[in-house]
Amino acid sequence: MRTAMHTENAPLTGLGAIVTGAGRGIGRSIALALAQGGAYVALASRTVEELEQVRDEIAALAGRAVCIPADVGDEAQVKQLVSRAVEQLGRLDIVVNNAGVGAFGPLELASTEQWDHVMAVNARGTFLMCREAIPHLRQHHPSYIVNISSVVGVKGYANQTLYSASKHAMMGMSKALARELQPDGIRVHAICPGAVDTGLGGDARPDLERAGMISPQDVADAVLFLVTRRGNAVIDQIDIRRASSTPWQ
Ligand SMILES: NC(=O)c1ccc[n+]([C@@H]2O[C@H](COP(=O)([O-])OP(=O)(O)OC[C@H]3O[C@@H](n4cnc5c(N)ncnc54)[C@H](OP(=O)(O)O)[C@@H]3O)[C@@H](O)[C@H]2O)c1
């Protein structure tokens, strides 16, 4: 049961959260937003220095965070990440599966290694994180899994076939798991942004001006909205697009 103290400015006070890919880009913004909301946040990715920087930024805002380096595609490391997070945070209420990599270019030039890597991080990483976290999330109602998918998880873009396949896998997991975990009070959400102003966003859409892209903060705002909502209505998916893009059909 949710036993945390809730205040208007810090509605997540007393809750524990894991954010993967928290060292930079969208994950950094999500981690900062959750910590500013009062959550105690476990920061995960492979680059320790980046995690430590984010932890220090959070501490400067009087928030609480701990660094737990891990490769989300590695089963043993994910098991250790989740158990260390639960041990250090005291409880687990929110998991944000944000860690991700891209693979861009024509399919006929893609290597098998590229396929394996993008699927290992984006698809297997999400699977492993969910599997290990569910027993802990089940202890508290409501609890949340937020999967940072992409517009390419619902649409197809030329030269993004491998990335798109991995994000469609995330969407399939999000949809099925939302149903599977509903009786347990675990809410499963997918967020599908278009081009976001990060290193990965620049690689995916070199044709776009960075200034016109979605900001990482926009995605963090959507995560905060989902994990602070009250009431019974469930929002399965949030689509976020650039102001200058055409609406999705
Ligand atoms: N930028 C966009 O346009 C856009 C649009 C839609 C969706 N997304 C999604 O948003 C998420 C974040 O993307 P971003 O744009 O913020 O990318 P980014 O700036 O490149 O950050 C990616 C993060 O994921 C971590 N990561 C990569 N491989 C990992 C692994 N094997 N294990 C653990 N962490 C790993 C990276 O840290 P290390 O390399 O240190 O591990 C980094 O912290 C991704 O899932 C991406 O697909 C991005």
Side-chain angles (χ1 to χ4, degrees), residues 2-180:
R2 179 172 272 197
T3 51
M5 287 182 306
H6 300 293
T7 67
E8 206 157 296
N9 290 333
L12 304 177
T13 301
L15 305 190
I18 300 176
V19 180
T20 66
R24 59 177 187 268
I26 296 169
R28 169 186 164 274
S29 291
I30 293 170
L32 281 160
L34 295 179
Q36 280 180 291
Y40 190 2
V41 185
L43 310 167
S45 78
R46 294 165 304 171
T47 310
V48 181
E49 304 76 41
E50 288 185 346
L51 295 179
E52 288 175 348
Q53 256 176 29
V54 178
R55 181 199 57 199
D56 293 348
E57 279 184 85
I58 288 173
L61 297 166
R64 296 205 304 158
V66 60
C67 303
I68 309 180
D71 180 338
V72 298
D74 182 296
E75 182 170 16
Q77 292 187 40
V78 170
K79 283 178 186 282
Q80 204 184 38
L81 162 61
V82 173
S83 65
R84 279 184 62 195
V86 171
E87 194 183 301
Q88 300 204 38
L89 309 177
R91 56 186 280 158
L92 185 60
D93 306 87
I94 301 166
V95 172
V96 184
N97 289 309
N98 165 80
V101 291
F104 308 111
L107 178 86
E108 65 192 282
L109 298 182
S111 67
T112 310
E113 289 72 25
Q114 273 179 305
W115 168 270
D116 288 344
H117 183 55
V118 79
M119 295 304 284
V121 181
N122 301 356
R124 189 172 55 190
T126 303
F127 152 66
L128 291 172
M129 283 297 303
C130 290
R131 189 186 68 190
E132 296 308 312
I134 287 166
H136 304 286
L137 292 170
R138 198 177 271 129
Q139 321 264 326
H140 310 289
H141 308 162
S143 55
Y144 306 88
I145 293 172
V146 184
N147 292 329
I148 308 301
S149 179
S150 168
V151 59
V152 306
V154 288
K155 283 178 73 172
Y157 281 56
N159 296 322
Q160 301 203 21
T161 307
L162 273 58
Y163 183 50
S164 190
S166 72
K167 290 296 178 177
H168 273 71
M170 279 183 88
M171 293 307 291
M173 270 187 275
S174 302
K175 289 176 193 174
L177 205 51
R179 285 200 160 191
E180 193 170 309

Side-chain angles (χ1 to χ4, degrees), residues 151-218:
V151 59
V152 306
V154 288
K155 283 178 73 172
Y157 281 56
N159 296 322
Q160 301 203 21
T161 307
L162 273 58
Y163 183 50
S164 190
S166 72
K167 290 296 178 177
H168 273 71
M170 279 183 88
M171 293 307 291
M173 270 187 275
S174 302
K175 289 176 193 174
L177 205 51
R179 285 200 160 191
E180 193 170 309
L181 298 180
Q182 193 157 325
D184 295 312
I186 305 175
R187 294 181 174 188
V188 182
H189 306 283
I191 298 181
C192 300
V196 183
D197 184 10
T198 67
L200 194 158
D203 290 345
R205 297 300 305 269
D207 54 314
L208 295 177
E209 294 281 344
R210 298 290 283 257
M213 289 185 176
I214 297 157
S215 76
Q217 186 61 49
D218 291 325

Side-chain angles (χ1 to χ4, degrees), residues 209-230:
E209 294 281 344
R210 298 290 283 257
M213 289 185 176
I214 297 157
S215 76
Q217 186 61 49
D218 291 325
V219 184
D221 289 346
V223 173
L224 202 58
F225 168 73
L226 289 171
V227 302
T228 54
R229 284 188 63 256
R230 301 286 173 264

